[in-house]
Amino acid sequence: MKKVFLSLLFVAATIFTYSQTVEEVMAKYEEANGGKNRLKAIKTLQMESVMKMNMMNQSFDISLNSIRERGKLYRRQMGGIMGMGNSWTMVTDTAGYVLIPAMPNFGGPRGGGDGPANPSGPTISKMTGDDLKKQQHELDCAGPFPMLIDYAKKGYTAELQGTSKVNKEDCYKVKLNMKDGLSAVFYINTKNYLVQQVDATDEMAAALTGFGSLMRMMGGGRRSLKASILYNSYKDIGGIQFPMKQIINIGPVETVIEHLDIKMNEPVDEVWYRVK
């Protein structure tokens, strides 16, 4: 009798889990992560991080700075590796630029965009109209996953694709369709409503991992890129839950990003707006 009762409880819990609508899941995500009003009140978001990666049989710790000012600026600055200088991606409400540093250890003609690496000197490339449109969602700074906040008002759509396990935890599987063909699948924990994993491809994978500018440096494109990102070590910062650690899997390569410091609503230094 006890086994039958437990089985019925399990079935009831399963039915309840699947009876959630995508709107309910997203609303609970907002609530669990600080509330919509608090998330939308973030005007600036600045993160200091370190990226730990392996490349060409060598291990590297690379400094990262990510700066956002709502509706005005997104900048991701990456420290130099293997004799290269710093690189950065910068997006504003009107333009976008990418700095590709000198690449003394790599061949190929000088160029920007998705072209080959630059062996001689640093090059600043201006984004095309399409590239700029696909990255201007980065101007949003409503928490760690701003694209999920008020998604419908932004013209995005969301689809609940059932549940799936991430590290033995049940998660809602939500596919978010953004503008200009961008999309990603978010795995939201059914208990605490924190994002545990995101799967993305192509331009969205490059944006979520921050590898777009690095791929430009190495002479590669962002298409046919597939990434799976695990998020953990959540920390309450100003009433908002931030994942302090990301584990990025691109094929057999694993890269770890750890956030060292996160600042909200502090003034952004004008130096981050400079192109040269």
Side-chain angles (χ1 to χ4, degrees), residues 78-100:
M78 181 183 294
I81 57 173
M82 299 178 68
M84 307 175 222
N86 292 344
S87 63
W88 49 257
T89 298
M90 173 179 166
V91 179
T92 71
D93 55 335
T94 58
Y97 303 89
V98 176
L99 172 66
I100 302 175

Side-chain angles (χ1 to χ4, degrees), residues 68-79:
R68 284 182 168 88
E69 186 161 10
R70 188 175 64 196
K72 296 180 179 180
L73 174 72
Y74 166 71
R75 184 159 180 149
R76 183 182 174 92
Q77 188 112 356
M78 181 183 294

Side-chain angles (χ1 to χ4, degrees), residues 7-20 163 170:
S7 298
L8 289 174
L9 282 179
F10 175 78
V11 171
T14 302
I15 292 172
F16 176 76
T17 295
Y18 280 97
S19 69
Q20 300 288 293
T163 62
D170 288 324

Side-chain angles (χ1 to χ4, degrees), residues 69-256:
E69 186 161 10
R70 188 175 64 196
K72 296 180 179 180
L73 174 72
Y74 166 71
R75 184 159 180 149
R76 183 182 174 92
Q77 188 112 356
M78 181 183 294
I81 57 173
M82 299 178 68
M84 307 175 222
N86 292 344
S87 63
W88 49 257
T89 298
M90 173 179 166
V91 179
T92 71
D93 55 335
T94 58
Y97 303 89
V98 176
L99 172 66
I100 302 175
M103 303 276 288
N105 296 320
F106 298 93
R110 181 172 180 166
D114 285 327
N118 173 16
S120 52
T123 299
I124 296 177
S125 299
K126 189 172 184 179
M127 292 182 186
T128 65
D130 286 342
D131 279 344
L132 180 61
K133 287 180 181 179
K134 289 181 178 179
Q135 296 206 47
Q136 283 190 316
H137 68 91
E138 300 278 17
L139 299 179
D140 197 348
C141 54
F145 304 101
M147 65 285 290
L148 298 180
I149 309 304
D150 262 351
Y151 70 94
K153 289 185 179 179
K154 296 170 184 173
Y156 306 163
T157 61
E159 176 188 354
L160 182 58
Q161 299 182 329
T163 62
S164 183
K165 287 189 180 294
V166 176
N167 291 336
K168 299 181 180 180
E169 294 281 345
D170 288 324
C171 294
Y172 293 110
K173 188 176 178 182
V174 177
K175 183 178 182 181
L176 185 73
N177 299 299
M178 299 167 65
K179 297 178 180 178
D180 301 304
L182 298 176
S183 67
V185 177
F186 292 80
Y187 296 80
I188 300 174
N189 192 292
T190 61
K191 295 178 182 177
N192 60 24
Y193 290 90
L194 299 177
V195 171
Q196 290 201 204
Q197 180 175 312
V198 179
D199 293 340
T201 59
D202 304 332
E203 298 280 356
M204 194 61 183
L208 286 169
T209 61
F211 284 170
S213 59
L214 182 63
M215 293 179 70
R216 286 186 177 97
M217 282 188 265
M218 305 304 296
R222 290 154 292 167
R223 294 164 181 81
S224 301
L225 177 66
K226 294 182 179 180
S228 181
I229 311 166
L230 291 169
Y231 296 88
N232 54 45
S233 301
Y234 273 84
K235 182 179 179 180
D236 186 306
I237 299 177
I240 295 172
Q241 297 295 322
F242 282 90
M244 302 301 288
K245 186 175 181 180
Q246 303 173 29
I247 302 173
I248 301 170
N249 291 287
I250 300 178
V253 180
E254 181 178 283
T255 301
V256 176

